[in-house]
Amino acid sequence: MTHESTAVGLASAYSNATTASGDWWRDAVIYQVYVRSFADSDGDGIGDLRGVRSRLPHLARLGVDAVWLTPFYVSPQADGGYDVADYRAVDPLFGDLADADELVRAAHELGLRVIVDVVPNHTSEQHPWFRAALAGEPGARERYFFRRGRGADGSLPPNDWESIFGGPAWTRVADGEWYLHLFAPEQPDLDWTHPEVTAEFDSVLRFWLDLGVDGFRIDVAHGMVKADGLPDIGRGAQATLIGTEPLPFFDQDGVHEIHRAWRRLLDSYEGARIGVAEAWAPSSERLALYVRPDELHQAFNFRFLNCPWDPGAMRTVIDESLSATTAVGAPTTWVLSNHDVVRHVTRYGGGAQGLARARAAAMLMLSLPGSAYLYQGEELGLPEVADLPPESRQDPAFRRGRRQQIPVPAVDPAPGPGPAAPGIIAPRPGEPTPPQSAPSPHSQPESGAGPQPHACCGPQTRAGAGPGPDPLTAPQAHAPTRPQAETGTGAQPQACCGPEAVTGAGPEAEMGGGAGGDPLTAPEADGQDGLRDGCRVPIPWAGTEPPYGFGPVGSWLPQPPEWAGLSVAAQTGDPHSTLELYRAALELRRAMPGLGAPEAGPSPDPRGMRWLPSPDGVLLFTRPGFACTLNTRPEPVELPAPGRPVLSSAPVQTDGRTVRLPPDSCTWWAF
């Protein structure tokens, strides 16, 4: 017999005991909404909170447990909202505070929890605190890292730290001092030794908890504390070192006291409010420190996202991840895509092969113990949009020129964030203002298998070139980790994460030309490549032409014409579609008692997971009443059937005794 690729007609188990319990987060499936690319309610081409609220029924039907919203706070949008000017207000681009309140209430009515981003490592340059610091208000600069420069005239940066986005991590103001920004110059780092910083963020968290949110995804959770004295590192290309070795600006022991304090704050609220760390550490053991019982609930597991399509590497990552987190009684998290990385359909080869592998990888992820994160559109099998026109790109690192010296304003700072005061920040030479909402000509998606241009970061596999290093990835990825060797057959597109090292060339070289700006200098080329927009293209909902139901007219990034067949409407009801595969997998995940979270407390064998012998290229493991087979080979493989097939990413042939696994496929079994 042939078992079809998706299961239909399953009994719903949406409100099962695990999800309804206080430990809901231990096996939660959390869906990331990139707000500006999810749904547009007002016709400006940019997604907003009302748009998100209108599409919540899709997420409830999909079967996820919670929604994670990227920043929607008041912001100049220098880095997609991760440069916050007012942490307690909604940017008019996305709506207002009433819209946020209504969204949370609507989600709760549908049984969905809501997690919001908090950005504590840095503010916007337009935050009132930083404006006051530039204006010379007494004590204002103590909230940030302002330092005198080195050299006889102070014209050299205070140390050798580099920005993750490329270039020095320091910018000089007109009176001669320098300020630290580990990311863009528009994102000055806060000094968390200052008591006003601690008190302010306690207040910010309480503000949103009082509104009803269920937790926070903590951006750069590893970065708020810097080593005493801000010591030099002594080498360049520092972005490539993050997650591989100790650095004086990341993963300092002092961050854990901050997270302990936040855990106490979260625990003071009813309803199991959670904290999720976006944290990079040199080892799995260091990462596990963030999820000790008195710290945060979850930390993103970036190693799984970066893992190549190789069964040995996958098994190693799974085993080491589970071992590190269960040792401290925490669940492991799993993720394949996010708003900073090349979508995994493209990373796994693109075309039919990439989609087959992406479907199989999703089933593998959803069968593992712990919590899983889905990125909007992955349930549709969306590929990366690799050829966006340069004029439509808005990633801040796409054109990163040297900033001019910042003059000190002669007037007092404005009382609120508002627009930038004239003259505070000089424009970058040759850099045009990126469009905000006008649609650009439609781009074409990548075609076929093989190496694809990157749309986010790091050492890249250029079209027609061999593979480069394979850096790790992160949800708001501010760091790469150790490059990994490619395995398997042929050159594979690389996983990548946010700000990464680019070897040799910048965006213009990658894209075959660019509008405006000079070529990147060597120091700038050591940071992020600025091509993250390819994974942020608004998703298709319905219709045969762009914007595919995203909004009344247009979209802030152009959508490919080929996406009509990938829309939610086009895939709904098709038992072979990627959308119905995800729906079936999430329904089975709830219905089968052997899936879900590991038990609390240390365990070398979380929730009974056990690897079984299998042919080369195949992974086979069991959990109570359940088995999973993953065939990573490009040809079918026969083996004894481990049970009754209940779901497969591709049609499976079995006579009940043996099974013929399709290439690049995953199958779930009950026994």
Side-chain angles (χ1 to χ4, degrees):
M1 62 169 284
T2 299
H3 185 80
E4 292 298 327
S5 60
T6 60
V8 295
L10 298 170
S12 177
Y14 183 79
S15 298
N16 64 15
T18 303
T19 299
S21 75
D23 286 341
W24 66 270
W25 46 274
R26 299 190 69 85
D27 65 350
V29 177
I30 300 174
Y31 186 99
Q32 181 191 357
V33 167
Y34 190 69
V35 175
R36 65 169 49 232
S37 297
F38 196 65
D40 170 24
S41 71
D42 58 12
D44 65 356
I46 298 175
D48 47 50
L49 296 182
R50 289 187 181 184
V52 174
R53 190 183 71 203
S54 72
R55 295 297 187 177
L56 289 176
H58 166 70
L59 303 184
R61 182 177 179 185
L62 183 62
V64 301
D65 301 293
V67 181
W68 156 30
L69 302 173
T70 56
F72 49 79
Y73 314 113
V74 170
S75 166
Q77 302 296 317
D79 184 22
Y82 285 93
D83 51 317
V84 181
D86 187 342
Y87 289 86
R88 298 177 183 82
V90 174
D91 196 291
L93 193 67
F94 304 121
D96 56 30
L97 198 57
D99 293 325
D101 181 66
E102 291 169 7
L103 190 161
V104 172
R105 293 174 185 272
H108 288 169
E109 289 174 0
L110 291 170
L112 299 169
R113 291 174 170 88
V114 178
I115 297 169
V116 298
D117 256 304
V118 65
V119 187
N121 180 71
H122 46 262
T123 69
S124 165
E125 65 183 357
Q126 297 305 322
H127 191 283
W129 279 3
F130 194 71
R131 292 165 64 89
L134 290 182
E137 180 178 305
R141 292 191 178 186
E142 295 175 6
R143 302 178 184 123
Y144 296 90
F145 289 93
F146 276 85
R147 299 290 189 272
R148 302 300 300 179
R150 294 191 291 193
D153 58 355
S155 61
L156 299 176
N159 66 20
D160 67 356
W161 294 2
E162 296 171 355
S163 166
I164 308 305
F165 286 176
W170 297 89
T171 290
R172 197 179 193 190
V173 300
D175 64 8
E177 285 202 317
W178 298 73
Y179 70 89
L180 176 68
H181 53 85
L182 290 178
F183 300 97
E186 297 90 344
Q187 296 166 294
D189 278 46
L190 288 162
D191 185 347
W192 271 81
T193 66
H194 197 292
E196 290 184 21
V197 175
T198 302
E200 170 67 3
F201 276 90
D202 282 354
S203 175
V204 167
L205 296 187
R206 290 188 182 279
F207 178 88
W208 292 104
L209 291 168
D210 290 342
L211 186 131
V213 305
D214 300 284
F216 301 94
R217 177 267 192 186
I218 302 166
D219 185 62
V220 198
H222 55 298
M224 290 107 81
V225 174
K226 280 68 175 177
D228 291 342
L230 311 183
D232 283 342
I233 294 172
R235 54 189 293 193
Q238 293 164 14
T240 65
L241 309 179
I242 300 168
T244 67
E245 59 185 75
L247 291 170
F249 51 71
F250 280 162
D251 192 41
Q252 296 293 302
D253 289 340
V255 300
H256 296 289
E257 187 52 45
I258 298 171
H259 298 318
R260 290 188 188 99
W262 284 6
R263 177 60 180 263
R264 292 192 294 270
L265 191 156
L266 289 166
D267 287 348
S268 71
Y269 281 77
E270 296 182 353
R273 317 294 179 94
I274 71 168
V276 182
E278 184 230 359
W280 288 88
S283 67
S284 296
E285 292 73 20
R286 287 287 300 180
L287 183 62
L289 299 179
Y290 290 82
V291 290
R292 287 176 289 188
D294 62 343
E295 293 197 37
L296 300 175
H297 299 76
Q298 294 182 348
F300 286 120
N301 179 7
F302 305 141
R303 295 186 63 205
F304 182 76
L305 184 152
N306 179 69
C307 192
W309 188 251
D310 173 81
M314 290 177 175
R315 178 168 173 172
T316 296
V317 167
I318 292 168
D319 284 344
E320 292 181 355
S321 299
L322 290 171
S323 176
T325 54
T326 56
V328 295
T332 303
T333 64
W334 314 99
V335 63
L336 290 167
S337 283
N338 60 58
H339 69 291
D340 280 322
V341 309
V342 172
R343 287 186 177 273
H344 59 281
V345 168
T346 301
R347 291 202 324 269
Y348 287 144
Q353 180 190 64
L355 179 60
R357 290 176 171 180
R359 287 161 59 97
M363 287 188 60
L364 172 66
M365 174 179 71
L366 292 171
S367 66
L368 295 170
S371 178
Y373 282 76
L374 310 181
Y375 177 52
Q376 65 176 45
E378 75 170 76
E379 77 275 20
L380 306 177
L382 296 185
E384 190 79 3
V385 180
D387 57 354
L388 288 168
E391 64 272 13
S392 73
R393 292 190 177 275
Q394 296 192 28
D395 189 333
F398 181 65
R399 299 180 185 90
R400 48 186 190 275
R402 298 293 189 186
R403 287 179 32 130
Q404 299 296 315
Q405 177 175 283
I406 299 181
V408 175
V411 296
D412 290 337
I424 289 185
I425 302 298
R428 304 181 186 191
E431 178 174 349
T433 301
Q436 292 299 311
S437 60
S440 303
H442 296 306
S443 63
Q444 303 291 328
E446 75 289 329
S447 59
Q452 301 293 339
H454 276 247
C456 74
C457 63
Q460 304 204 10
T461 302
R462 299 175 178 83
D470 196 80
L472 295 190
T473 346
Q476 166 64 12
H478 290 313
T481 59
R482 186 182 306 281
Q484 297 187 6
E486 299 287 351
T487 57
T489 58
Q492 302 295 331
Q494 300 157 54
C496 58
C497 73
E500 297 271 346
V502 178
T503 54
E508 288 76 10
E510 297 297 335
M511 299 296 295
D518 296 326
L520 300 185
T521 63
E524 290 169 326
D526 287 334
Q528 181 192 5
D529 63 22
L531 304 181
R532 294 176 296 172
D533 292 315
C535 62
R536 301 175 179 183
V537 175
I539 65 175
W541 292 97
T544 58
E545 296 180 351
Y548 305 117
F550 168 68
V553 291
S555 59
W556 70 284
L557 287 173
Q559 300 160 298
E562 289 79 5
W563 277 16
L566 297 179
S567 72
V568 173
Q571 295 195 46
T572 295
D574 178 358
H576 303 289
S577 71
T578 300
L579 175 58
E580 294 297 349
L581 176 68
Y582 270 74
R583 286 172 171 168
L586 289 172
E587 192 169 8
L588 275 172
R589 180 181 165 94
R590 294 179 179 276
M592 299 185 72
L595 295 179
E599 300 294 344
S603 170
D605 187 17
R607 202 62 186 272
M609 181 174 170
R610 185 163 65 95
W611 296 104
L612 298 182
S614 58
D616 290 343
V618 175
L619 291 179
L620 169 58
F621 67 85
T622 63
R623 300 181 67 187
F626 170 87
C628 177
T629 54
L630 177 75
N631 180 17
T632 66
R633 292 166 59 171
E635 67 277 340
V637 175
E638 290 190 2
L639 70 159
R644 173 177 60 87
V646 294
L647 186 66
S648 180
S649 65
V652 169
Q653 296 178 348
T654 179
D655 59 7
R657 297 184 301 275
T658 61
V659 60
R660 183 177 174 86
L661 299 176
D664 296 325
S665 70
C666 185
T667 304
W668 288 1
W669 308 81
F671 58 84

